[in-house]
Structures are given as structure tokens and as C-alpha cells.
């Protein structure tokens, strides 16, 4: 009996419930990744496509070492999967659940069932399913702290990570694959990915190395250092988690073990993993999270989007060093430190009054960890319209944020070498320096931007 494992955002071999179930199946196994084209699916951004190419290559090699073949197909999964099932006499299909495009997955499952094929879906992406993390009255959480407390109280239910299967069933020799290179996931003319190549090692083995390094070198100082973009204080696991190259349960259980062994700062790490989980709960219950404000009154917000301002922000030329360094870090490396994500997002939605959806889209295109749930939920959180969001009137002062979290200016100088002659704290307000610099003046004075944002917020409140 032939089985088929459909891989999506679970590009690893260890702690992979769907792979383990498929490997236990008696008979040949087709393992397929589909580059999906479907109206219900958001096309991947450029940085994610770059990451995906390398991730698939790496997984393909790992499977080949175990005598298996990763099959590549491109197109509409609603037609590809039934066709493969028919062509190769597949009797059982496995996949890991995802939390966007739920209707699409339901439809595919229904079609396969009408063909007499068994479909088994498993959780490999979250600690608990969103439907197992509800309030006592059965409704979803909209506030993070009770969500965290509830999840922590249910920690015994989070399965322990499982090893990769020792052996895999043989592939189906007749099953043809497309050539990954023909998908053209890598940028060409221009090849803008030099900074990404320099920063990242992609794939499951690299994820494990990164996590080990974090546990041994950074976990014990995580709570102290996690807000400092000038220090390598966080795990940088986000792209690996996004593509499922490392299991969230492994991250959780190793963090929990450290916490229970007395490492107090590990609790903060666990809490961050639960922000991811909270974001997925929000997405599951609000499928339009990337486009529609969670607080509906924000659809009346008097945004004032000027395309030139958006471009200035995207190119890191606002004249505020911490904002510009963040935007250039993003462009060069496909990643940005969390504190700086908050500062740049606040600047766009408040100082520049540009709708958060435009910032979300830019991050979607440029982040290697661009995530359906965390990106949308975090943008809404910063913009003030999300669940348990920072209030709109909390407007980050980019100068003070720079001085506080990058006290010596090391971070801003890394991405803005034109500021290297300046010392802290003036490096965060270069307009006060007598030196001639090739660096722009602020796009708007901080106080003016703040006042304008507050006025817009007052208009929203009075229109309610
Ligand atoms: C405007 C904005 C957009 C964001 N977009 C994304 C995104 O597209 N993808 C993404 O993974 N994260 C996003 N985040 C959340 C956060 O910035 C990143 O997860 C974090 O910076 C990744 O770095 P790390 O792996 O070193 O995190 P660590 O501090 O080491 O945290 C460990 C893991 O916890 C999770 N996590 C940490 N903070 C958050 C958070 N606030 N929300 C959700 N999960 C979190 C991530 O999976 C992260 O890898 C965004 C935050 C903001 C403010």
C-alpha cells in the first residue's frame, strides 16, 4: 500500500509526527513538497523564497542519505494531490496541520476521502492546538498573560520531542519530480541575497547548531540581553521555526528543562515562544489577521499614506539612526532584532501615519522568518489595533529608544557606517553633530510626528 507525505512548513526529520506516522506505514512512501499556486494562499516573499530553496535542498539531501527522494511539484494542490494519488495508487495521505488556508486543506481532505483515500493530519507546528487553548467558557483568549498562564498550566500535555525515524520506507521509483532550480526561488539580476548568504546557514542541521549555541552561550543572560540589538542575545531561531526546520516542542522542552533546573532567565524565553503560540491562536480564530484590524474601529483610522514616506522608511533613510539601521539590517540580512522591529513599526504607523498593512507587506517580502501569524499579530500589536495591543498613544521616541537599547551606538554604526565618526549619545541624533555627514535630516521632527499621530488618534476616538 503506497502512502504519501505532503510536506509544507515542516522541513525536518526529527520530532515530525506526520513523518513518523508515514514511516510506520507498510509500503512505499512518496514524500512531496508542492510549490502551491492557489488564490487562498499568499505568495511567499522574496526572502522566504530564498530560504525555502536552501531548506528544500538541505532536506532533499538528508532524505537521499536515508534512501528516500523529495519530490517537487508546482501548481494547485487541489489538482496535484488527487492526480498523484490516482497515478501512483496512493491509499493513505499524511500532512502536518497549518493554521492559514484552513478551507483549502479541508477541501483537499474531502476530495481525497471521496477517492477512498485515508487522510491523517497531525500537529507539528504548535505546542498545543488552538482549539485546546481556550478560556473556561470555550472562547479564545484575546489577552496574552492569561493565555500564557493557561498554557503553562497545561505544560504536561505538550508532547516530548521524538527522534527521527531510524529507517524510512522506500520511494516510488516511477514518481517523477520537477527540478527545484526550475522554480527560480533564488534572486537573479540582481542577486540581492549576498547578505543573507553571509548571515544564515539554512536547514535542520544548522538549526540544531544554532539552538545548541544559544542554550550554552545566551540562555543564562536572555532576559537581560534580549532587548539589546547591539548584542547577539536572542536565539535567532525564528526562520527555522517558521519553516519547521526545528521543532517548537524541542525548543519548549529544552527551555523548560533549563528553567526547572534553576535557570531563571529561561522563563522569559518560554514566554516568547508562547507569543508565537498566541499569534497562531489569533490567526486561527481571525483568518483575516493580516489585512483586517482586530479592533474593527481601526478601519476608520485617518491614515495619511504618502508613497514617498513609505519608500524612505523601506530604504532606511528617515534620518533616525535606530529606525534606519533596522530597515537596513532587514534588507541586508533578511532579519531584524525584535526591539528594532517594534521601533520601526511604531515609526511607520505613528510618525508617518502609514497603514500597518503596508509595513506588514514589506516585512512579509523581506524577512526570512516572515510568518503568517507572528507578522500580522505583531504589526497589529504595535499599531494599537491588535489583541492585547500596546495602546496607540504609546509612541516610541526613536532617539530615547536608541540611547537606551544601543547605548554605545554599536548597532546603528554596523548598518550606517556613515555615522562611524559620531560618539554616543549623539550618534542617535546626528543632526546635533557639527560634523558634515552624508546622512539625511529627520523626515519629520519627533515632536511634530508625535503630535500629528495623537491628533489622528483623537479623530478616531471622536468618530466612534
Ligand atoms: C512588527 C513585527 C513583526 C514581526 N514579524 C515576525 C515574523 O514575521 N515572524 C516571526 O517569527 N516573528 C515576528 N516578530 C516577532 C519577533 O520580532 C521575532 O520572532 C524575533 O525577533 C525573532 O528573533 P529570535 O528568534 O532571536 O527571537 P527570540 O527572542 O530568541 O525568541 C524565540 C522565539 O520566540 C518567538 N517569538 C519571540 N518574540 C515573539 C513575538 N513578539 N511574537 C511572536 N513570536 C515571538 C519566535 O518564534 C522566536 O524565534 C515580529 C515582531 C514585530 C514587532
Amino acid at each position: 500500500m503506497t502512502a504519501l507525505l505532503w510536506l509544507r512548513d515542516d522541513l525536518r526529520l526529527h520530532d515530525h509526527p506526520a513523518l513518523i506516522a508515514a514511516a510506520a506505514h507498510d509500503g512505499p512512501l512518496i514524500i512531496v513538497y508542492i510549490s502551491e499556486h492557489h488564490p487562498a494562499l499568499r505568495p511567499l516573499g522574496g526572502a522566504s523564497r530564498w530560504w525555502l530553496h536552501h531548506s528544500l535542498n538541505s532536506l532533499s539531501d538528508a532524505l537521499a542519505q536515508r534512501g528516500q527522494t523529495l519530490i517537487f511539484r508546482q501548481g494547485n494542490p487541489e489538482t496535484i494531490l488527487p492526480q498523484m494519488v490516482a497515478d501512483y495508487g496512493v491509499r493513505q495521505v499524511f500532512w502536518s496541520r497549518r493554521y492559514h488556508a484552513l478551507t483549502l486543506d479541508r477541501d483537499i481532505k474531502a476530495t481525497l476521502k471521496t477517492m477512498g483515500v485515508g487522510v491523517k493530519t497531525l500537529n507539528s507546528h504548535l505546542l498545543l492546538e488552538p482549539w485546546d487553548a481556550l478560556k473556561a467558557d470555550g472562547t479564545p483568549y484575546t489577552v496574552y498573560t492569561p493565555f500564557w498562564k493557561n498554557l503553562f498550566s497545561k505544560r504536561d500535555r505538550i508532547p516530548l520531542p521524538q527522534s527521527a525515524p531510524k529507517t524510512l520506507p522506500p520511494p516510488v521509483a516511477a514518481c517523477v519530480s520537477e527540478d527545484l532550480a526550475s522554480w527560480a526561488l533564488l534572486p537573479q539580476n540582481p542577486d540581492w541575497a549576498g547578505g543573507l548568504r553571509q548571515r544564515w546557514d539554512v536547514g535542520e542541521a544548522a538549526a540544531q547548531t544554532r539552538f545548541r549555541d544559544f542554550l550554552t552561550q545566551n540562555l543564562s543572560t536572555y532576559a537581560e540581553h534580549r532587548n539589546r540589538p547591539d548584542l547577539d542575545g536572542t536565539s535567532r531561531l525564528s526562520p527555522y521555526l517558521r519553516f519547521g526546520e526545528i521543532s517548537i516542542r524541542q525548543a519548549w522542552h529544552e527551555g523548560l528543562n533549563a528553567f526547572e533546573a534553576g535557570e531563571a532567565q529561561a522563563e522569559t524565553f518560554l514566554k516568547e515562544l508562547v507569543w508565537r503560540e498566541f499569534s497562531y491562536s489569533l490567526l486561527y480564530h481571525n483568518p483575516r489577521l493580516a489585512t483586517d484590524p482586530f479592533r474593527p474601529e481601526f478601519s476608520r483610522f485617518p491614515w495619511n499614506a504618502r508613497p514617498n514616506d513609505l519608500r524612505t522608511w523601506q530604504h532606511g533613510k528617515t534620518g533616525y539612526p535606530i529606525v534606519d539601521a533596522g530597515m537596513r539590517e532587514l534588507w541586508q540580512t533578511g532579519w531584524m532584532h525584535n526591539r528594532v522591529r517594534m521601533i520601526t513599526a511604531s515609526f511607520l504607523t505613528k510618525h508617518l501615519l502609514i497603514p500597518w498593512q503596508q509595513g506588514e507587506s514589506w516585512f512579509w517580502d523581506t524577512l526570512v522568518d516572515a510568518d503568517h501569524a507572528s507578522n500580522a499579530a505583531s504589526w497589529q500589536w504595535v499599531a494599537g489595533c491588535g489583541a492585547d495591543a500596546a495602546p496607540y498613544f504609546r509612541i516610541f521616541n526613536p532617539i530615547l529608544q536608541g540611547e537606551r537599547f544601543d547605548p554605545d551606538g554599536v548597532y546603528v554604526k554596523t548598518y550606517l557606517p556613515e555615522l562611524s565618526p559620531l560618539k554616543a549619545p549623539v550618534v542617535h541624533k546626528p543632526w546635533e553633530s557639527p560634523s558634515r555627514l552624508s546622512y539625511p535630516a529627520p523626515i519629520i521632527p519627533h515632536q511634530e510626528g508625535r503630535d500629528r499621530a495623537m491628533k489622528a488618534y483623537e479623530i478616531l476616538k471622536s468618530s466612534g
Side-chain angles (χ1 to χ4, degrees), residues 222 234-238 241 269 272-273 275-276 279 335-338 341-342 345 363 367 369-371 374-375 378-379 382:
Y222 179 76
T234 66
S235 71
R236 300 196 186 201
L237 282 185
S238 49
L241 287 166
F269 178 65
E272 294 310 313
L273 297 179
W275 270 105
R276 174 182 180 274
S279 303
W335 189 86
M336 193 198 295
H337 188 277
N338 179 61
R341 292 188 202 204
M342 293 196 287
F363 273 30
L367 277 171
D369 64 24
D371 184 87
S374 302
N375 198 36
S378 301
W379 270 95
V382 176

Side-chain angles (χ1 to χ4, degrees), residues 101-278:
L102 297 168
T103 313
L104 172 62
D105 282 7
R106 245 175 249 138
D107 290 349
I108 294 173
K109 191 171 178 177
T111 307
L112 295 177
K113 286 202 158 162
T114 59
M115 296 172 78
V117 176
V119 179
K120 191 155 179 53
T121 70
L122 296 110
N123 171 13
S124 77
H125 203 62
L126 296 178
L127 298 172
L128 293 177
E129 292 291 10
W131 49 90
D132 290 330
L134 296 170
K135 291 196 277 187
D137 66 2
T139 60
Y141 285 94
T142 54
V143 180
Y144 167 79
T145 302
F147 181 89
W148 150 258
K149 285 187 180 153
N150 176 56
L151 190 142
F152 197 70
S153 73
K154 291 180 177 162
R155 61 191 176 283
D156 292 346
R157 291 200 216 161
I158 299 171
L160 288 168
Q162 295 171 270
S163 316
K166 289 222 162 38
T167 56
L168 293 175
V172 172
C175 186
V176 283
S177 175
E178 292 173 26
D179 177 10
L180 177 60
S182 72
W183 292 359
L185 295 171
L186 299 178
Q188 276 154 0
N189 303 325
D191 169 13
W192 43 256
L196 277 67
R197 285 193 291 273
Q198 222 172 19
R199 166 69 73 92
W200 299 102
D201 288 327
V202 182
E204 182 169 10
Q208 292 296 336
T209 306
R210 177 68 210 164
F211 191 39
R212 288 285 136 243
D213 289 350
F214 170 72
L215 290 175
T216 50
Q217 293 161 27
N218 307 104
L219 186 65
S220 62
T221 50
Y222 179 76
E224 278 163 68
H225 290 173
R226 61 176 287 273
N227 270 310
R228 292 277 303 270
D230 56 337
L231 305 174
D232 183 13
T234 66
S235 71
R236 300 196 186 201
L237 282 185
S238 49
Y240 303 106
L241 287 166
R242 155 68 183 86
F243 287 94
E245 292 166 21
I246 192 166
S247 145
I248 185 69
R249 294 168 185 172
Q250 182 190 352
W252 170 268
H253 279 291
E254 298 207 22
L256 184 65
N257 290 345
F259 177 58
E260 289 176 345
E263 183 45 80
Q265 303 208 17
E267 187 185 20
T268 311
F269 178 65
L270 296 175
K271 285 186 168 164
E272 294 310 313
L273 297 179
V274 173
W275 270 105
R276 174 182 180 274
E277 201 82 359
F278 182 53

Side-chain angles (χ1 to χ4, degrees), residues 42-80:
R42 185 176 190 181
L44 291 183
S48 297
R49 288 165 61 83
W50 176 86
W51 189 284
L52 177 65
H53 174 93
H54 293 294
S55 189
L56 290 172
N57 245 340
S58 148
L59 184 63
S60 180
D61 288 349
L63 285 169
Q65 282 167 18
R66 288 163 177 78
Q68 252 291 350
T69 309
L70 182 54
I71 302 290
F72 299 115
R73 293 287 173 97
Q74 179 164 214
N76 182 346
E78 284 183 305
T79 51
I80 290 178

Side-chain angles (χ1 to χ4, degrees), residues 98-100 102 106 126 129-131 134 278-287 289 373:
R98 60 183 170 191
Y99 304 88
H100 60 281
L102 297 168
R106 245 175 249 138
L126 296 178
E129 292 291 10
W131 49 90
L134 296 170
F278 182 53
S279 303
Y280 270 94
S281 169
L282 292 172
L283 176 67
Y284 177 74
H285 295 289
N286 304 275
L289 196 67

